[in-house]
Amino acid sequence: INAVGFDADGQILIDFSNENVSDEAIIAAAKELGLNAESAEGNQTEKFKFGIPYGYWWIYKEI
């Protein structure tokens, strides 16, 4: 996460769709790093106009 870096909004989008990891594990791992995790499924933004498929998560820090 730190190697890639956060965007201007303090977040990074990670694709966990090829990993065998539970939602709870993703949230717990982010929390352990002092970050938040939010599923990006169905997220509609200018950059991702058609939504983001299952398995993508926003990992972010409060700014």
Side-chain angles (χ1 to χ4, degrees):
I1 291 172
N2 289 326
V4 174
F6 294 93
D7 67 10
D9 295 323
Q11 58 191 10
I12 186 170
L13 182 65
I14 299 179
D15 176 5
F16 289 102
S17 63
N18 292 325
E19 304 296 325
N20 187 16
V21 60
S22 69
D23 292 354
E24 292 80 13
I26 294 169
I27 294 166
K31 186 176 182 179
E32 189 172 311
L33 295 171
L35 303 169
N36 298 310
E38 182 178 327
S39 174
E41 183 177 359
N43 181 275
Q44 297 290 324
T45 65
E46 185 63 29
K47 187 174 180 182
F48 302 102
K49 292 182 182 180
F50 302 106
I52 299 170
Y54 178 77
Y56 282 73
W57 285 75
W58 289 109
I59 306 298
Y60 63 96
K61 55 186 171 183
E62 296 294 331
I63 54 173

